Amino acid sequence: MLRLILRNLVEKKIRFALTTLTVVMGVMFVVGAFVLTDSLRATFSELASDIASGTDLIVRTAQEVGGDFDRPPLPEDLVDPVARVDGVGQVLPAVAAVNVVIVDGDGEAIVPPGPPALGFNFRDSLFFLVEGRAPVGGGEFAADADTAARNNLRVGGTYAINGPIRAEDFELVGVFNFGSPDTNTSVGQTMAAFDLPTAQRFLGFEGEVLTIGVRVSPGADPAAVKADLEAALGDSYEVITQQIVAQEQEADFGDFINIFNWILLVFAFIAVFVSAFIINNTFQMVLDQRVREIGLWRAVGATPRQVGWSVIGESAVVGALATAVGIGCGMGLSVVLRVLLRAGGFGLPSGPLELRPRTVLLAVLVGLGVTVISSVGPALRARRISPIAALHHGYRIAPAGLRRRLITGGAVAAAGVAALIAGMFGGLGTAPTLALIGAGALATFIGINTVSPAFARPIARLLGRPMQAVFRVPGRIARENAARNPRRTASTAGALMIGLALVGLTAVVGESVETTFVRTLDNAVTADYFVRSTRQGFNPSAGFSEQVADDLEALDELDRVVRYRFAFGSVEVNGIPRDITAAEMAAVESHLDGDVVSGDLASADPPTSVALHVDPAADLQVGVGDTVEMTFPDNETATLTVAAVYADATIYGNWLIDLALWDEHFNRSDLAFASATIAGFSDDLDEAEQAVLLDRSRAAIDEALADYPTVKAENRVEFRQSQQAQLNSFLIVITLFLGLALVIALVGITNTLALSVFERTREIGLLRAVGMTRRQLRRSIRWEAAIVAVFGALLGVAVGVVFGVAATLALPDAFVNDVRIPWTTLAVYVAVSALAGLIAAIGPARRAGRMKVLDAIAYE
Amino acid sequence: MTDTTTLAVAARAVGATKIYGAGDTEVRALDAIDVSFEQGRFTAIMGPSGSGKSTLMHCMAGLDTVTGGQVFIGDTDLSTLSERDLTLLRRDHVGFVFQAFNLVPTLNAIENITLPMDLAGADGDPAWIDEVVDTTGLGDRVKHRPNELSGGQQQRVAVARALAGKPQIIFADEPTGNVDSNTGAEILDFMGRAVTEMGQTIVMVTHDAAVAARADRVVFLVDGKIVDELADPTPEGIRDRMNRLGT
Ligand SMILES: Nc1ncnc2c1ncn2[C@@H]1O[C@H](COP(=O)(O)OP(=O)(O)O)[C@@H](O)[C@H]1O
Ligand SMILES: [Mg+2]
């Protein structure tokens, strides 16, 4: 039996190769995801231990909440007592800060796209010079090798640096590798290093340091030194070992890597899912082509069981080979991704590729599993082939009846929708929710795909009508061929349907969110200017110095400046880390209206008040006048009174405190955002007067901000546009991601078409014999593909719109409360699909064109 | 060969040679064949299996190319034509009927009949097409697809397609080989009328002496060479000739 299977595969090489290709894609993404992240993890863990190796112990403030940059500093006076402890060989005081932005020679601020812009004090243990010397004194700095190379920074040049407090000019005296002598440990962050006193002054650590590194003297036992230090310093401080430092470092990197892993796995899941459709379809087609041969087997005595197993066996061989190839391609993919990420500004270190047994196991499960499962249906059908098939030319395996199709498909789709609803509204944990949504989507798609052959023929005929009108015979042939085998057309279109459904869903939700967002912004915004970092988003490492606000407030043209600080997960309420926003409570409403539904911000007592959004208020069951316990990064817990509850989280976030309270508990004073009003501006002024004020204030602001290239001020319109643009670019990224499904779907179209062309060899020969030119032939095949693609795209858009509307209704109202369907965008997607179909058909059409007329006629 | 000087030639071969393979496996399917087919005549080609009958049809119809010598349709030397021009020649000037699988399964009978001119974007001659369709005797079945027609009906549609575009010449390779003898006779009748009533030129390969006897002339092929021919044949005459040729 195995010999027969293998012979069969070898003889039908192309068919075999095409089937394998789709499986390879699925496996490739799974393997690529894991190899990339495992390799990064291995490399980073090595780097983390490199970074930690410079010191044996680190002394720092004990801290329970907040990130590293929220950690309260130590008094400088602690350095001497630490140095005096027995066994301490060398003390290495350290300071570090975010938002230390170097301005390059062309006056452009160097802002990494995602990773932070960091400033440190220079230490030999961590910074390894590759050029120049260490910075000494107030006017010098050193930069990391990648930042220097990428931005053409030259030793000896003078560059402005925007610190967290102010901007200053420094001379670049050295270039270093961070963490290790050989490679610069970087995930794309920029690094500037100064000598200790300069770093303290410039980075805002006057009289303070962030941590104190300790190297034990030769022969001393680090554990004993640690114990002595702990005894000497007391409870407010902690002493950690090199291993813990390395672990923490690795965990930081790990978060970053996990995000990649998740994104790639979602990719892989979509790829595998779409591939499964294509594989199933291919086996079905291959079976149709082999009906006579199988009939012959049956005639010479093969049992239905044997026939069924031979189909499964063939799929197993395909799956095994595809898995092997997919593993190889996946390793290649991980290299390509690494290069792409690096090009995108995420400087990922290179290192050996890690192929773990777990990855191989998963690849086998996916490659072999999906293939074999996809072939079960065809195998069952193969068992029904009777020996007469061998004798009867036009024999077809009876397809499942229309009624049965509608019933089973409808039932499966209904179950899928039920699972989706349960997932969205069930209020379950993250894992079961995702599982339900995933399974629900799966079942819905399979259900729709089961039903869709029922209307594939009339729709394909309808879609083909204009082609027939334009291209006459080739159009007619395209139309008829698309309608000829509804099951095949539907399955081929199915893969595209999934891709388009996902993209369509994103488009509907995106458009609805944008509409809601823009309306909220229009209603809430009363300030005239918005000042923020040129880097996008409320990123804690994307703020700017408070001096900017001071400078703006000093302008006569401006009335009032409101400052906003922000930190991710840096306070704890009820044991859960929360993001926190701080602003002057009394003034904030006059600039940005958060739609307070109860209580009053203006009369709140700044140091003891908190305001929160209606959602967390409902979760915690607190209202105005109730108290909330909030723990800060300095380990202090304050009992705060709820002053107000608001409905719009767009600006304030979920938790809002006053600047006074923030400054008590945070050592960071950089601003995430600032808003300003124009002096004398009011809606009662006529347009000309308003324009004069706008122009004058704009000029003054531009002059004031000239020193701060990382900061920009936008007026109301600009602000709205840039927020919209940000949302849009986010949507585009998601859409591109989902576009992957389209690429696989295209491979599916190519695949189906190639097999169809193969199947129609004689017919093609005949058409050519009676005078169809190659061009006409190719055209007919291309348009056939376009019809199939548009069919899939329309189905997908329909499903996507339904899902999108459902998701919009399911999302919280604060986020989206206005259902909008972007018809133009969706129409463009359909058009792009048609175009993609045409492109997918190029290969098969060429092949068909190259067939020799006589060979085609003689083909049996 | 009395009429050759008075009748125009629809197609001819001059030293046409077709060699398959090379060296030990070389097969001379056509060996320097000279033959002319005059306009308005019905020629039958006979010969043992493997003698090169199909190869001759294919090469003369522009479906295949000769490896030596020349083939003309009218005055056009096929060896000078590009692939595209050959296709257009087949479409506009040559008709072809195969033994089986003559029709495009997705098109109905009438669409199959008008396929070449539709491909050309030409309207054809409606009266003529009506006449041709009429003679198929398909009646209202012309709107049916091939799989709904009998084998004989399918072959008649194929012949009708070959006739519809008024080609210079029609080649038919065992057109009755796949149908029973009654149906075969019908098809033959149909082709015979095309020659006598419509003035068509037909070259047909057949094994059947009775069928060949319907032709104006029979050409005998053995091992890629023309070994004999017979004008105004009778079945007895053909059988006699065939026996002498040792087939
Ligand atoms: N494509 C081909 N390749 C090799 N030999 C061929 C090919 N086609 C035909 N032949 C050979 O050429 C000779 C003539 O074939 P053919 O014209 O089909 O004969 P007939 O139609 O008279 O039976 C045969 O010997 C056949 O084997
Ligand atoms: Mg033959």
Side-chain angles (χ1 to χ4, degrees):
Chain A
M1 202 74 196
L2 184 67
R3 268 225 345 256
L4 256 175
I5 291 169
L6 287 177
R7 269 265 296 288
N8 200 10
L9 288 174
V10 172
E11 269 169 30
K12 310 280 157 65
K13 280 189 224 78
I14 296 169
R15 191 167 81 185
F16 180 48
L18 286 172
T19 319
T20 314
L21 183 65
T22 50
V23 192
V24 167
M25 305 248 309
V27 174
M28 181 174 88
F29 276 101
V30 174
V31 172
F34 279 103
V35 168
L36 176 69
T37 50
D38 287 341
S39 310
L40 286 178
R41 227 169 247 140
T43 316
F44 274 124
S45 109
E46 219 171 273
L47 293 173
S49 62
D50 273 357
I51 291 174
S53 68
T55 49
D56 298 318
L57 299 169
I58 282 185
V59 179
R60 65 185 186 190
T61 317
Q63 180 200 29
E64 265 135 42
V65 264
D68 252 354
F69 291 106
D70 298 323
R71 189 179 292 282
L74 309 160
E76 198 176 26
D77 303 341
L78 216 58
V79 175
D80 282 340
V82 167
R84 278 199 299 274
V85 169
D86 258 358
V88 171
Q90 195 185 356
V91 285
L92 300 158
V95 298
V98 287
N99 294 319
V100 181
V101 177
I102 306 167
V103 180
D104 72 11
D106 304 324
E108 299 269 356
I110 304 169
V111 278
L118 301 172
F120 305 93
N121 64 313
F122 192 91
R123 280 153 285 163
D124 297 334
S125 56
L126 204 51
F127 299 82
F128 299 90
L129 284 166
V130 292
E131 195 192 339
R133 57 174 177 81
V136 181
E140 297 183 354
F141 83 111
D144 70 285
D146 287 315
T147 303
R150 227 176 271 144
N151 300 285
N152 215 3
L153 304 181
R154 271 185 241 290
V155 171
T158 298
Y159 300 95
I161 300 182
N162 281 216
I165 298 174
R166 67 184 87 79
E168 266 178 45
D169 284 348
F170 292 90
E171 185 191 341
L172 182 67
V173 297
V175 172
F176 58 81
N177 277 338
F178 178 71
S180 127
D182 315 312
T183 44
N184 185 36
T185 308
S186 168
V187 290
Q189 77 272 28
T190 65
M191 292 177 271
F194 313 88
D195 75 356
L196 182 61
T198 310
Q200 282 175 301
R201 175 178 61 76
F202 187 60
L203 305 181
F205 287 87
E206 218 75 66
E208 295 172 328
V209 293
L210 191 59
T211 62
I212 303 171
V214 167
R215 261 192 264 188
V216 302
S217 27
D221 171 18
V225 177
K226 177 174 184 293
D228 288 348
L229 277 169
E230 278 165 349
L233 296 172
D235 273 353
S236 334
Y237 306 108
E238 61 184 16
V239 182
I240 55 169
T241 59
Q242 185 185 329
Q243 288 76 25
I244 302 285
V245 175
Q247 275 168 24
E248 287 184 0
Q249 188 69 252
E250 207 180 317
D252 278 357
F253 287 140
D255 290 346
F256 172 74
I257 294 167
N258 281 338
I259 294 172
F260 277 128
N261 200 9
W262 272 110
I263 293 172
L264 289 173
L265 283 181
V266 169
F267 246 131
F269 178 75
I270 296 174
V272 168
F273 184 43
V274 177
S275 304
F277 268 73
I278 295 169
I279 297 164
N280 178 268
N281 195 25
T282 311
F283 276 114
Q284 204 74 61
M285 288 178 67
V286 166
L287 190 69
D288 286 341
Q289 292 176 6
R290 280 178 49 197
V291 166
R292 283 185 83 176
E293 180 191 328
I294 291 175
L296 191 67
W297 286 18
R298 293 276 289 112
V300 299
T303 64
R305 259 179 101 87
Q306 282 174 318
V307 167
W309 280 113
S310 86
V311 171
I312 302 242
E314 180 172 336
S315 78
V317 175
V318 169
L321 192 96
T323 305
V325 176
I327 290 175
C329 292
M331 310 218 10
L333 176 69
S334 68
V335 174
V336 171
L337 282 175
R338 201 149 67 173
V339 170
L340 283 181
L341 286 170
R342 208 173 282 162
F346 291 92
L348 301 179
S350 44
L353 293 182
E354 288 263 319
L355 182 64
R356 304 235 167 117
R358 179 257 281 126
T359 311
V360 175
L361 190 71
L362 264 176
V364 171
L365 274 180
V366 167
L368 208 55
V370 169
T371 321
V372 170
I373 290 170
S374 305
S375 74
V376 168
L380 290 178
R381 266 159 47 96
R383 292 176 55 150
R384 297 213 306 267
I385 295 173
S386 82
I388 320 169
L391 314 168
H392 189 58
H393 198 84
Y395 184 92
R396 288 213 165 273
I397 316 168
L402 189 69
R403 252 179 86 89
R404 241 187 73 194
R405 224 172 225 306
L406 287 174
I407 292 170
T408 44
V412 172
V417 170
L420 277 175
I421 291 173
M424 280 195 275
F425 299 102
L428 301 157
T430 314
T433 300
L434 286 179
L436 267 179
I437 289 182
L442 219 74
T444 310
F445 284 132
I446 291 173
I448 292 174
N449 203 241
T450 313
V451 176
S452 64
F455 41 90
R457 178 168 287 161
I459 293 187
R461 285 240 169 85
L462 189 72
L463 292 173
R465 203 173 270 276
M467 282 152 213
Q468 185 175 341
V470 176
F471 299 115
R472 309 189 51 139
V473 181
R476 167 102 178 111
I477 302 249
R479 179 180 170 203
E480 285 306 326
N481 279 337
R484 162 181 216 170
N485 191 332
R487 217 206 74 88
R488 181 179 299 177
T489 298
S491 309
T492 310
L496 200 63
M497 165 185 82
I498 298 167
L500 260 273
L502 296 175
V503 174
L505 164 80
T506 311
V508 171
V509 174
E511 177 88 358
S512 304
V513 168
E514 184 177 333
T515 311
T516 308
F517 180 75
V518 166
R519 235 206 358 234
T520 311
L521 221 54
D522 280 347
N523 292 339
V525 162
T526 41
D528 300 311
Y529 282 104
F530 303 88
V531 182
R532 59 196 187 94
S533 162
T534 47
R535 302 174 61 189
Q536 305 268 301
F538 285 118
N539 184 334
S541 65
F544 52 90
S545 100
E546 180 141 36
Q547 199 192 1
V548 173
D550 293 342
D551 289 359
L552 291 178
E553 212 155 34
L555 297 175
D556 291 337
E557 287 82 357
L558 293 183
D559 205 7
R560 160 144 228 186
V561 176
V562 173
R563 299 144 200 247
Y564 306 80
R565 308 200 209 282
F566 178 82
F568 270 120
S570 293
V571 299
E572 230 174 66
V573 177
N574 275 14
I576 300 169
R578 320 266 177 172
D579 303 343
I580 184 87
T581 308
E584 197 182 328
M585 277 193 172
V588 65
E589 264 182 309
S590 64
H591 282 200
L592 296 165
D593 184 1
D595 192 7
V596 170
V597 290
S598 61
D600 179 22
L601 283 174
S603 63
D605 175 42
T608 62
S609 296
V610 66
L612 71 169
H613 183 248
V614 287
D615 286 349
D619 283 351
L620 298 173
Q621 296 188 326
V622 293
V624 172
D626 293 340
T627 56
V628 169
E629 304 264 299
M630 186 178 278
T631 307
F632 292 96
D634 60 358
N635 299 329
E636 282 188 35
T637 300
T639 305
L640 306 175
T641 308
V642 175
V645 175
Y646 50 84
D648 180 4
T650 322
I651 313 286
Y652 298 170
N654 272 347
W655 295 84
L656 177 72
I657 57 172
D658 196 87
L659 290 177
L661 182 58
W662 171 289
D663 290 342
E664 269 177 47
H665 298 288
F666 283 80
N667 67 319
R668 277 174 46 199
S669 66
D670 54 337
L671 300 181
F673 190 75
S675 59
T677 43
I678 300 173
F681 194 87
S682 108
D683 288 338
D684 302 336
L685 297 177
D686 67 34
E687 258 179 55
E689 289 168 321
Q690 288 188 351
V692 170
L693 284 176
L694 273 170
D695 285 349
R696 267 224 308 271
S697 55
R698 164 60 74 192
I701 289 173
D702 284 349
E703 200 189 320
L705 292 184
D707 295 339
Y708 306 99
T710 65
V711 180
K712 67 177 171 193
E714 295 167 321
N715 64 28
R716 249 183 260 185
V717 177
E718 290 164 341
F719 179 64
R720 198 183 76 184
Q721 280 168 350
S722 64
Q723 295 294 309
Q724 258 172 302
Q726 190 178 334
L727 191 66
N728 280 333
S729 56
F730 178 67
L731 289 177
I732 288 172
V733 169
I734 295 187
T735 304
L736 285 181
F737 257 97
L738 298 175
L740 165 79
L742 297 188
V743 173
I744 299 178
L746 289 192
V747 173
I749 293 183
T750 307
N751 203 343
T752 306
L753 223 50
L755 285 168
S756 293
V757 163
F758 184 67
E759 201 174 271
R760 290 186 217 137
T761 304
R762 284 187 74 159
E763 196 175 318
I764 289 169
L766 175 66
L767 282 166
R768 297 275 290 118
V770 300
M772 183 177 245
T773 62
R774 283 186 173 153
R775 263 178 75 155
Q776 287 175 317
L777 174 62
R778 288 197 297 255
R779 182 176 286 163
S780 78
I781 290 168
R782 284 198 306 264
W783 285 101
E784 174 185 349
I787 295 173
V788 174
V790 170
F791 175 60
L794 288 178
L795 266 184
V797 164
V799 174
V801 165
V802 172
F803 280 12
V805 170
T808 309
L809 296 176
L811 287 168
D813 271 1
F815 188 53
V816 47
N817 56 17
D818 195 352
V819 180
R820 287 289 167 102
I821 299 168
W823 294 113
T824 327
T825 312
L826 295 175
V828 169
Y829 290 162
V830 175
V832 167
S833 305
L835 192 71
L838 289 175
I839 293 169
I842 288 176
R846 267 229 170 96
R847 251 177 68 86
R850 274 205 303 268
M851 283 183 189
K852 284 233 185 69
V853 182
L854 269 186
D855 291 354
I857 294 169
Y859 173 85
E860 181 63 55
Chain B
M1 289 222 189
T2 45
D3 292 344
T4 37
T5 46
T6 57
L7 284 177
V9 170
R12 68 197 160 96
V14 182
T17 304
K18 179 76 182 180
I19 299 174
Y20 289 111
D24 282 352
T25 60
E26 182 183 293
V27 176
R28 232 165 233 276
L30 297 182
D31 195 355
I33 285 193
D34 297 307
V35 69
S36 299
F37 301 112
E38 293 87 26
Q39 259 175 20
R41 296 193 62 178
F42 190 177
T43 310
I45 303 215
M46 299 195 74
S49 182
S51 57
K53 304 180 297 288
S54 293
T55 307
L56 182 64
M57 296 286 97
H58 293 157
C59 288
M60 297 216 58
L63 287 165
D64 203 353
T65 49
V66 288
T67 43
Q70 285 163 302
V71 173
F72 296 86
I73 297 286
D75 294 325
T76 314
D77 181 353
L78 299 198
S79 62
T80 62
L81 297 184
S82 66
E83 157 63 36
R84 181 180 155 76
D85 288 336
L86 263 185
T87 305
L88 300 187
L89 175 105
R90 286 200 301 270
R91 186 183 78 191
D92 300 334
H93 303 296
V94 179
F96 210 106
V97 183
F98 301 103
Q99 187 172 350
F101 206 83
N102 267 301
L103 306 181
V104 180
T106 46
L107 302 180
N108 64 29
I110 184 74
E111 286 171 327
N112 264 291
I113 291 172
T114 57
L115 181 57
M117 46 198 109
D118 287 344
L119 281 168
D123 289 336
D125 174 348
W128 170 248
I129 292 170
D130 281 348
E131 194 181 333
V132 169
V133 171
D134 263 357
T135 46
T136 60
L138 240 53
D140 52 8
R141 297 193 76 94
V142 291
K143 287 276 162 93
H144 288 235
R145 297 216 176 169
N147 63 0
E148 296 160 337
L149 301 176
S150 72
Q153 286 171 326
Q154 289 185 28
Q155 285 304 79
R156 272 181 301 183
V157 171
V159 175
R161 177 187 58 214
L163 289 169
K166 294 193 194 167
Q168 288 203 354
I169 187 164
I170 294 171
F171 297 97
D173 193 353
E174 301 188 47
T176 59
N178 243 9
V179 292
D180 62 70
S181 52
N182 278 342
T183 315
E186 271 176 47
I187 295 167
L188 226 56
D189 258 352
F190 187 36
M191 301 211 311
R193 267 181 301 154
V195 176
T196 51
E197 293 167 21
M198 305 170 178
Q200 266 296 337
T201 313
I202 297 183
V203 180
M204 175 184 68
V205 172
T206 179
H207 279 300
D208 188 331
V211 170
R214 306 280 299 262
D216 301 321
R217 169 191 176 206
V218 183
V219 173
F220 295 92
L221 217 59
V222 175
D223 289 340
K225 293 192 187 74
I226 295 182
V227 290
D228 203 350
E229 54 171 282
L230 205 60
D232 303 320
T234 58
E236 294 71 33
I238 295 170
R239 282 195 198 100
D240 181 49
R241 211 57 73 93
M242 297 271 280
N243 287 336
R244 266 195 283 148
L245 292 172
T247 52

